[in-house]
Amino acid sequence: MSTLVIAEHDNSTLNGATLNAVTAAQALGADIDILVAGADCAAVGEQAAAVAGVNKVLVADNAAYGHQLAENLALLIAEVGAAYDNVVAPATTNGKNTMPRVAALLDVAQISDILSVESADTFKRPIYAGNVIATVQSADAKKVITVRTTAFDPAAPEGGSASIEAVSSAHDAGISEFVGEELAKSDRPELTAASVVISGGRGMQNGENFKLLDGIADKLGAAIGASRAAVDAGFVPNDMQVGQTGKIVAPDLYIAVGISGAIQHLAGMKDSKVIVAINKDEDAPIFQVADYGLVADLFEALPELEGKL
Amino acid sequence: MKVLVAVKRVVDYNVKVRAKADGSDVDLNNVKMAINPFCEIAVEEAVRLKEAGVASEVVVVSVGEKSCQEQIRTALALGADRGIQVETEGAVEPLVVAKLLKGVVEKEQPQLVILGKQSIDGDNNQTGQMLGALANMAQGTFASEVKVDGDAVSVTREVDGGLQTVKLKLPAIVTTDLRLNEPRYASLPNIMKAKKKQLDVFSPADLGVEVKSHLTQLRVEPPAERQAGIKVASVDELVDKLKNEAKVI
Ligand SMILES: Cc1cc2nc3c(=O)[nH]c(=O)nc-3n(C[C@H](O)[C@H](O)[C@H](O)COP(=O)(O)OP(=O)(O)OC[C@H]3O[C@@H](n4cnc5c(N)ncnc54)[C@H](O)[C@@H]3O)c2cc1C
């Protein structure tokens, strides 16, 4: 048995989500190779080769893969993946974009967002915004899987000594091109990897007030997140959204401020170890999942909290 | 330009769905059903393209049991021109839905296919991308902006790091994210008009597709319950609990 893990990266650095996917792949009980597809991405290949438990790293270095366009990448992964029993990627927006195309090319189902590996063909995954956990069994000879990264610990980034091989296949479907991107710049930890997350909701009232979270985030080394309502209202950018359709986080501490606790928001954070809710409405549903609830006006509670940390 | 929109009938997003006590399946007895929120955004986008003179016809398709005609009618009331139901029984997996949609694409030859990025029941986030692969079309997934320009479409996508814009050759696929638009409400006269719009029904066999199952749902269960928490009376107490009880700061 063999498993191919698709690396998540930006052509220079291996993204940590790959390490969680490697752990999920280990649970499948097969030899693990990593595919790094990108442009000028040799450095990523070397980082992938250092990951503990990896057999071989395949590097497909070609301009067509530089922006992770799904149309090109899926052709490559389907070709390389043909020799493997499992093809696994983290359920990042890249993984979600590309892997279903791979599955369709291979004429197999995709098993999305797995939470656990029960056996080589049986997996748990969340449905209905995480209100139900389904156990599903695949009848396909080849499994195409995306991994909910918060459900698996990261593999050790060091200690491995995989061999590195170049893959020469160049697939350019010629139907899509990259135009540009606006990437958020932040010195804070990445939302999905942070051990503390503090999120603001509609109760924050405007983008300016999100500054009230900054001081606390600085003191706790936290990432800052948001509810959909806060993003829709334009307080903060989309990459900060936590929830069913945003990012899934499971930090040691999650602080929800001015967030009511809709099921779609809970879907993205209820696996956090400790949940704190600050809300002026004592009946807000967020209190049903909070370990510590503070019924208070956030405009008073936040400055006080910052002062006392 | 013809636009094809795929819609799915799902549990209303306000319903908190639970697993049946025996774990055999989810309990959907007497729950309210609705058009999947992302599909509604897809319909709205297509209708706006028509209103802007970019699209000439909006065809809406749903794969499902007869009851999904209700959601097709909803889409027709929002402004789609005609409907297609592909009649299936029980749950149909994304790969099969994509194959059926490919059959509809071959019949209808749309320039743009708009789908929701995921349905809020299975949360799979697969169908649009699979259709893209099967029909060899480019895809702009998780779209927050769609601009048709001649024989191409520019799509701004919500990605982990922020926003990305891609340019796709038509015919192409778009899957919608939440911020693409805010769907309108159907007016009563439009709901009445929708009842008279054309709605054709096809079987999978008509489209040359075999309905196959790749995955078996063995059981369902509720997620791990969280221990009931407490209310703290002050910020001081909160800080104390986080430091000394939870030990997370
Ligand atoms: C298909 C679909 C997908 C969705 N996906 C997501 C998702 O991924 N993530 C997500 O978050 N939502 C998602 N939603 C939206 C979700 O249903 C809720 O609408 C949203 O989470 C509400 O955000 P909120 O809690 O910030 O706003 P509200 O529900 O308006 O709550 C605001 C809260 O702030 C409190 N408040 C106000 N002022 C103060 C104050 N001064 N001090 C203290 N508290 C105050 C109020 O008491 C209230 O509880 C989705 C919805 C749909 C239909």
Side-chain angles (χ1 to χ4, degrees):
Chain A
M1 283 247 295
S2 58
T3 298
L4 182 68
V5 173
I6 312 303
E8 170 85 21
H9 65 91
D10 62 0
N11 294 320
S12 57
T13 311
L14 184 71
N15 184 296
T18 314
L19 302 173
N20 306 87
V22 166
T23 301
Q26 278 163 348
L28 290 162
D31 285 346
I32 297 172
D33 293 351
I34 295 185
L35 173 65
V36 176
D40 295 323
C41 57
V44 181
E46 277 159 32
Q47 293 160 46
V51 175
V54 176
N55 211 29
K56 189 165 69 180
V57 174
L58 303 168
V59 180
D61 198 330
N62 190 293
Y65 311 135
H67 295 287
Q68 305 288 313
L69 291 173
E71 297 78 7
N72 303 345
L73 224 52
L75 293 171
L76 170 74
I77 298 171
E79 181 193 295
V80 176
Y84 291 83
D85 301 294
N86 311 298
V87 184
V88 175
T92 53
T93 45
N94 279 332
K96 291 175 182 173
N97 190 35
T98 303
M99 294 299 272
R101 261 188 111 98
V102 173
L105 291 173
L106 296 169
D107 197 27
V108 299
Q110 172 176 299
I111 308 142
S112 293
D113 236 358
I114 63 162
L115 300 169
S116 73
V117 175
E118 302 294 300
S119 73
D121 66 359
T122 304
F123 311 90
K124 286 193 181 183
R125 59 175 304 269
I127 56 176
Y128 292 96
N131 286 311
V132 178
I133 309 298
T135 304
V136 296
Q137 185 173 35
S138 165
D140 290 319
K142 195 184 295 294
K143 277 117 199 132
V144 172
I145 294 168
T146 64
V147 173
R148 175 161 294 195
T149 53
T150 53
F152 296 88
D153 291 332
E158 304 287 341
S161 57
S163 59
I164 300 180
E165 249 175 50
V167 176
S168 58
S169 320
H171 291 282
D172 186 349
I175 50 179
S176 59
E177 68 186 83
F178 170 84
V179 176
E181 61 194 356
E182 273 173 57
L183 298 184
K185 281 190 210 88
S186 166
D187 299 330
R188 301 196 184 285
E190 216 182 304
L191 198 49
T192 50
S195 56
V196 181
V197 173
I198 181 163
S199 292
R202 200 195 314 263
M204 299 300 294
Q205 288 178 6
N206 56 47
E208 189 63 23
N209 288 337
F210 263 74
K211 291 207 176 112
L212 292 169
L213 304 179
D214 281 342
I216 298 171
D218 286 343
K219 289 194 166 165
L220 296 176
I224 298 183
S227 71
R228 172 190 174 185
V231 178
D232 282 6
F235 302 172
V236 292
N238 67 284
D239 54 277
M240 288 170 66
Q241 181 178 317
V242 170
Q244 179 186 17
T245 51
K247 288 189 177 141
I248 309 290
V249 302
D252 294 335
L253 173 61
Y254 187 87
I255 307 176
V257 185
I259 292 178
S260 61
I263 49 178
Q264 294 85 7
H265 188 78
L266 301 186
M269 45 63 80
K270 70 177 159 43
D271 292 329
S272 305
K273 282 211 188 78
V274 174
I275 297 175
V276 169
I278 301 176
N279 197 303
K280 68 177 181 190
D281 172 10
E282 63 174 338
D283 296 323
I286 189 76
F287 287 123
Q288 291 164 19
V289 300
D291 299 280
Y292 304 109
L294 178 64
V295 180
D297 188 322
L298 66 92
F299 295 103
E300 286 161 22
L302 290 177
E304 189 183 343
L305 180 59
E306 183 183 340
K308 287 182 172 154
L309 284 171
Chain B
M1 175 175 98
K2 190 194 278 187
V3 180
L4 181 70
V5 183
V7 301
K8 186 175 183 187
R9 175 183 171 89
V10 299
V11 171
D12 183 88
Y13 76 93
N14 285 306
V15 177
K16 186 169 174 189
V17 173
R18 288 173 203 282
K20 283 185 191 164
D22 67 2
S24 58
D25 205 348
V26 292
D27 191 353
L28 296 184
N29 255 332
N30 296 320
V31 298
K32 186 175 168 213
M33 303 298 283
I35 186 168
N36 179 46
F38 291 98
C39 302
E40 198 177 3
I41 294 171
V43 174
E44 176 68 31
E45 195 64 16
V47 171
R48 288 188 191 185
L49 286 171
K50 189 170 174 201
E51 288 167 347
V54 176
S56 50
E57 188 184 22
V58 176
V59 181
V60 57
V61 54
S62 189
V63 174
E65 292 172 5
K66 183 144 203 252
S67 51
C68 79
Q69 289 192 5
E70 205 184 312
Q71 279 62 45
I72 296 176
R73 294 287 173 201
T74 305
L76 295 174
L78 291 172
D81 296 300
R82 77 189 151 83
I84 296 173
Q85 180 210 356
V86 181
E87 179 128 18
T88 55
E89 268 171 60
V92 186
E93 293 173 16
L95 181 60
V96 176
V97 175
K99 287 180 182 177
L100 293 167
L101 292 179
K102 184 188 172 225
V104 175
V105 164
E106 279 167 0
K107 263 187 196 301
E108 294 286 339
Q109 300 286 323
Q111 286 296 97
L112 197 60
V113 186
I114 314 182
L115 308 87
K117 77 166 180 179
Q118 75 193 67
S119 57
I120 58 166
D121 47 5
D123 281 336
N124 279 305
N125 195 336
Q126 299 176 3
T127 306
Q129 297 90 312
M130 287 181 159
L131 175 61
L134 298 174
N136 193 26
M137 290 200 258
Q139 66 188 41
T141 53
F142 327 145
S144 65
E145 199 179 344
V146 174
K147 275 193 229 146
V148 177
D149 179 14
D151 61 356
V153 57
S154 286
V155 180
T156 301
R157 310 177 51 233
E158 294 201 358
V159 295
D160 287 338
L163 296 170
Q164 182 198 57
T165 303
V166 290
K167 192 171 170 191
L168 316 172
K169 264 195 194 152
L170 295 177
I173 307 245
V174 167
T175 78
T176 62
D177 216 317
L178 294 168
R179 280 164 284 276
L180 181 57
N181 61 50
E182 228 176 284
R184 70 195 67 190
Y185 291 96
S187 67
L188 197 57
N190 285 344
I191 293 172
M192 300 313 289
K193 259 194 254 165
K195 293 187 176 161
K196 298 201 191 78
K197 288 184 180 172
Q198 184 185 340
L199 198 170
D200 298 311
V201 180
F202 295 111
S203 70
D206 294 337
L207 301 169
V209 176
E210 187 199 348
V211 177
K212 216 178 122 187
S213 159
H214 297 254
L215 294 177
T216 312
Q217 182 173 291
L218 300 180
R219 61 180 174 277
V220 295
E221 63 198 302
E225 278 298 318
R226 289 193 73 88
Q227 299 272 334
I230 57 161
K231 291 247 169 77
V232 291
S234 64
V235 170
D236 281 318
E237 189 186 349
L238 175 63
V239 172
D240 174 63
K241 292 282 184 199
L242 292 177
K243 273 195 179 137
N244 301 315
E245 193 177 84
K247 298 190 168 63
V248 283
I249 61 172

